[in-house]
Amino acid sequence: MDLPGRPFPLPCPHPPLHPCRPESRVWTVMLLLGTCLLYCARVTVPICAIALSTHFDWDKKQSGIVLSSFFWGYCLTQIIGGHISDQIGGEKVLLLSASAWGFLTVLTPLLTHLTSAHLIFMTCSRFLMGLLQGVYFPSLASLLSQKVRESERAFTYSTVGTGSQFGTLVIGGAGSLLLDWYGWESVFYFSGLLTLLWVYCTCKYLLSEKELIIPIDYLIRSLSITKQTKVPWKQLFRKAPIWAVIIAQLCTASTFFTLLSWLPTFFKETFPESKGWVFNVVPWLVAIPTSLFSGFLSDHLINQGYKTITVRKFMQVIGSGVSSIFALCLGQTSSFCKAIVFASASVGLQTFNHSGISVNVQDLAPSCAGLLFGVGNTGGALLGVICVYLAGHLIETTGSWISVFNLVAAVNSIGLCAFLMFGAAQRVDTDSAYMDL
């Protein structure tokens, strides 16, 4: 594995791979921390949802509007973020976006006190947060697909992907304490300032001044699709495996977003005497070792001679199928301890997706993985908007959380069936039609 820096003159269909070295391990850790801080900033509003609703007198539908507005912005920058990353380098895009969302997170509570239209402001703020964070995972997919061997992809992506659980864990624990001690504003300051510190350390210690400069001609080329870099959409989207991984990705992304947005409210309302640091921490704490284990198991099975697609589908059955069973159980229990177990199992097993569909797009088309990942995540964000808002509507109209977990299981089942029926792992960008990608 070889991670940046690199000059990125133009994307190469078959970039050279180098043995692991200390620099690559440092970058893996830094990307894990970056993913952690991405989720620290993303989950600030779900963590503070009850406090914000009380402070600004919002009902469930209004809370659902604020929570879902993130995904409207999130879906708009996925494709362009992946395309630019394929052109100029994923690490540059990651650092630019992190700087912007860090400042926005810090400024949000300050600006909130300057306006009386709190619902409109918070909705716009979350929309902008979605725009800025939408480029992150396509950029990460672009970076890893060009620099990590197939036999190492699952563990590397799973390691970096644990940042999503680690970040939710950090903000769930520290954020809950800060919320109780100092109010909801402190949660925003905490996550925003840590993000800015990460950007500063990455720029200062891991990138040279030359690597931080983006030549204007590269940027212009990345924003336009020339004849040499034009993606053959018609040929690419005639491939059933492409559609299978996109459908599976949008389904799993939307259900993850739904759980991420509504689980804190579920526990707070269903078990009002429970401590926030317990239900905001334990499920995500469990998810960290399960994510690492899924990556290790996937790479181990492939190195033992099992077919790549067989392993990817096995991981996806666990990530989408088995996790949905525990989500359904979560809606049926009245015991806090059982609810924690079911939530931990559902969230933890969802991390097997990192070793399934999340790396499958890199199997299929490593030369344009960032862009294709952006396409799938765009669909996931759009469906996430619908699911997050629909969940709030279902709770408000039925008064029951069972319908929310039924929704999660149904959407996951659709994506899993599509991937099991049509998923593949052979490259689809290696024939002459794709040589200019």
Side-chain angles (χ1 to χ4, degrees):
M1 179 178 64
D2 178 32
L3 292 171
R6 56 178 176 142
F8 281 93
L10 281 174
C12 175
H14 307 287
L17 292 167
H18 305 285
C20 286
R21 56 187 183 184
E23 181 189 1
S24 68
R25 290 193 289 269
V26 172
W27 266 98
T28 300
V29 173
M30 291 302 291
L31 290 173
L32 186 154
L33 291 176
T35 307
C36 167
L37 294 169
L38 174 95
Y39 271 82
C40 281
R42 182 179 299 185
V43 184
T44 49
V45 171
I47 289 292
C48 301
I50 297 294
L52 289 170
S53 299
T54 302
H55 187 76
F56 297 122
D57 194 26
W58 296 338
D59 59 25
K60 288 291 187 302
K61 291 182 180 179
Q62 290 172 318
S63 295
I65 291 173
V66 174
L67 289 169
S68 63
S69 61
F70 171 89
F71 303 105
W72 285 112
Y74 192 68
C75 69
L76 295 179
T77 52
Q78 296 280 331
I79 297 176
I80 187 64
H83 177 63
I84 294 176
S85 298
D86 288 337
Q87 303 297 308
I88 68 173
E91 73 278 8
K92 296 181 176 69
V93 179
L94 295 181
L95 292 172
L96 285 172
S97 64
S99 301
W101 90 61
F103 278 115
L104 177 62
T105 306
V106 171
L107 292 175
T108 294
L110 298 174
L111 297 177
T112 301
H113 294 297
L114 298 178
T115 179
S116 58
H118 301 118
L119 180 62
I120 295 175
F121 173 78
M122 288 300 295
T123 300
C124 293
S125 174
R126 292 297 289 174
F127 174 80
L128 183 56
M129 178 68 75
L131 283 176
L132 296 172
Q133 291 199 350
V135 303
Y136 187 88
F137 282 107
S139 301
L140 188 62
S142 174
L143 179 60
L144 297 183
S145 70
Q146 295 187 38
K147 290 295 181 177
V148 181
R149 294 181 179 89
E150 179 182 298
S151 61
E152 299 173 354
R153 281 177 189 158
F155 184 73
T156 303
Y157 195 93
S158 295
T159 300
V160 175
T162 57
S164 59
Q165 289 78 40
F166 188 49
T168 310
L169 169 65
V170 169
I171 200 65
S176 296
L177 294 176
L178 289 171
L179 182 62
D180 292 338
W181 294 345
Y182 303 110
W184 63 268
E185 296 91 342
S186 62
V187 183
F188 284 79
Y189 297 141
F190 174 76
S191 60
L193 291 174
L194 281 181
T195 299
L196 296 176
L197 178 61
W198 174 78
V199 172
Y200 171 79
C201 291
T202 303
C203 293
K204 184 175 179 62
Y205 298 110
L206 292 182
L207 291 176
S208 66
E209 184 177 345
K210 182 178 180 181
E211 289 169 332
L212 291 172
I213 299 173
I214 303 176
I216 189 65
D217 58 327
Y218 289 179
L219 185 59
I220 292 174
R221 277 185 291 174
S222 71
L223 292 172
S224 62
I225 301 180
T226 64
K227 183 176 181 180
Q228 286 185 325
T229 62
K230 186 176 181 180
V231 176
W233 293 108
K234 290 183 179 180
Q235 296 94 329
L236 203 59
F237 285 107
R238 285 172 182 165
K239 307 287 186 178
I242 292 291
W243 281 108
V245 73
I246 288 176
I247 292 172
Q249 185 180 340
L250 69 88
C251 289
T252 57
S254 63
T255 55
F256 176 75
F257 294 150
T258 303
L259 291 177
L260 186 69
S261 298
W262 284 110
L263 270 183
T265 303
F266 163 76
F267 276 103
K268 196 67 177 178
E269 293 192 346
T270 308
F271 309 101
E273 301 301 319
S274 61
K275 299 295 183 182
W277 64 266
V278 176
F279 59 74
N280 285 328
V281 167
V282 174
W284 309 103
L285 183 62
V286 171
I288 294 174
T290 57
S291 180
L292 293 173
F293 173 73
S294 72
F296 169 80
L297 177 62
S298 178
D299 286 346
H300 175 73
L301 291 175
I302 291 174
N303 288 328
Q304 290 297 310
Y306 290 91
K307 291 183 178 180
T308 300
I309 188 56
T310 302
V311 176
R312 302 289 189 240
K313 289 182 177 180
F314 172 70
M315 295 294 156
Q316 201 59 34
V317 168
I318 299 175
S320 292
V322 181
S323 69
S324 294
I325 295 175
F326 286 103
L328 292 172
C329 294
L330 182 59
Q332 301 291 335
T333 185
S334 58
S335 166
F336 176 70
C337 291
K338 289 182 178 179
I340 288 293
V341 172
F342 293 146
S344 300
S346 182
V347 172
L349 293 178
Q350 273 194 343
T351 63
F352 277 69
N353 295 331
H354 294 160
S355 304
I357 57 170
S358 293
V359 289
N360 183 240
V361 69
Q362 301 171 34
D363 299 329
L364 294 172
S367 61
C368 56
L371 192 147
L372 283 177
F373 192 94
V375 172
N377 246 21
T378 297
L382 287 171
L383 188 57
V385 173
I386 297 172
C387 289
V388 171
Y389 177 77
L390 182 58
H393 180 74
L394 289 172
I395 298 166
E396 190 73 22
T397 54
T398 66
S400 171
W401 286 89
I402 295 176
S403 57
V404 175
F405 299 116
N406 289 342
L407 174 66
V408 168
V411 174
N412 270 341
S413 298
I414 294 172
L416 177 60
C417 289
F419 189 65
L420 291 179
M421 292 175 63
F422 302 108
Q426 294 82 15
R427 286 190 65 170
V428 297
D429 63 345
T430 53
D431 60 82
S432 59
Y434 303 99
M435 291 308 291
D436 287 330
L437 284 180

